[in-house]
Amino acid sequence: MQHGGVELTAYLVNESRARKPGLAEDPLAGAWIPDGDRPAVRELWREFADEVYPHDDLVVSLRGRYIADTLARALRADPDTVLVVCGAGFSSYPWLLPFPAALEVDLPEMAAAKRRRAAELTASGVAPEREVRHLAADLNSAEGRAEVTAAARELAAGRPIAYVAEGVVFYLPGDAARSVVTLGAGFGTTAVTAVSYWPAAAAGCRVLAEQRDWFLRRSVPADASHLTHDELESLLGTAIEDRGPEDLQRRYLGGVSVSESDLIPEYVAVSWTPGSGTGRAGAAA
């Protein structure tokens, strides 16, 4: 069940986005999955959909589309903006958008696998040439987070930073989760922060409980963190734009096709730094 030390579950997000190309707008989503693993990944996705959750393709496509649109707005405001992504997995943002440089952060085996696969896709012409650094760091430790801050500052060299923490905060204990939310503040030039999280009000969600049980059987840690809108505003020190699955369905599909009660309630919080040139007016565009 592994490819280069990476569990096949790491590719589930990519399979989900590849299943909704018009919604996700991520033409590289499926390309990150090595050819030899595609049948097993598709079978695992079908197992997950049948046993637990048939809407992962909808929710992670919405999440990725909203984050990509947010990053595109940051680049329009300042084309020199660089990208920092924690919990990068096999996301495509540095290759979908013309960032002058990007830093992707993940656990060692994932970071190494992403570096190898990015080199393969670039060499074959599937992905465009990009300056992307892959940093192996444990976001659960203060030392790991300090490594990220130092690397981000070095990469940015005074340029604005777009900071993303996607699909990672809820798998960290509370103190570490809050530290990752605010990590961008230590970079010094962060213009926008985008964080995906599970709201505290949904801590007892049936679908979420079933999803966690399924992943627990595949060695995903049992700890999970839930945050609130007010807590995020307090942590980030400014008003946030907060979008859940129903909000994003209305935004991109023109209406709600699947009720939030049947979905994993993953929200995306976006915080624009005052004076960054984007602001709330730019974010609403």
Side-chain angles (χ1 to χ4, degrees), residues 31-44:
W32 292 107
I33 305 170
D35 291 343
D37 284 337
R38 289 181 192 278
V41 171
R42 287 172 181 150
E43 181 57 33
L44 188 65

Side-chain angles (χ1 to χ4, degrees), residues 55-268:
H55 304 300
D56 196 58
D57 52 355
L58 173 66
V59 172
V60 301
S61 293
L62 289 167
R63 178 184 83 191
R65 174 79 172 274
Y66 184 51
I67 290 173
D69 283 355
T70 298
L71 297 177
R73 287 196 293 273
L75 274 175
R76 286 197 298 271
D78 191 331
D80 284 335
T81 299
V82 300
L83 175 65
V84 177
V85 184
C86 283
F90 290 101
S91 62
S92 305
Y93 303 121
W95 294 271
L96 297 179
L97 295 161
F99 286 99
L103 174 69
E104 293 198 323
V105 182
D106 219 312
L107 292 171
E109 289 183 346
M110 179 65 75
K114 182 68 171 293
R115 183 185 299 110
R116 287 193 301 270
R117 189 60 177 160
E120 292 169 357
L121 295 181
T122 301
S124 65
V126 173
E129 292 275 358
R130 290 287 192 267
E131 181 187 340
V132 182
R133 302 182 191 178
H134 304 276
L135 175 66
D138 181 3
L139 296 170
N140 197 28
S141 74
E143 293 80 6
R145 295 190 295 272
E147 288 180 42
V148 176
T149 297
R153 284 176 169 269
E154 179 184 2
L155 178 72
R159 293 174 291 185
I161 294 174
Y163 171 58
V164 176
E166 180 183 10
V168 65
V169 165
F170 30 75
Y171 292 123
L172 297 172
D175 288 346
R178 288 184 283 274
S179 294
V180 170
V181 168
T182 58
L183 192 58
F187 300 162
T189 57
T190 297
V192 62
T193 291
V195 176
S196 70
Y197 75 101
W198 292 337
C205 169
R206 171 191 56 80
V207 181
L208 184 54
E210 292 173 353
Q211 184 249 25
R212 289 183 62 204
D213 180 67
W214 191 84
F215 277 101
L216 272 173
R217 302 201 304 270
R218 289 153 180 86
S219 302
V220 174
D223 288 339
S225 292
H226 300 79
L227 300 167
T228 68
H229 178 95
D230 289 346
E231 184 177 10
L232 285 163
E233 288 201 330
S234 177
L235 286 168
L236 293 167
T238 186
I240 62 171
E241 300 158 15
D242 206 0
R243 302 287 183 264
E246 290 193 358
D247 301 316
L248 294 177
Q249 286 181 75
R250 293 187 188 97
R251 182 186 186 98
Y252 294 112
L253 300 176
V256 175
S257 60
V258 182
S259 168
E260 193 165 309
S261 62
D262 292 323
L263 300 173
I264 291 174
E266 187 169 353
Y267 279 54
V268 181

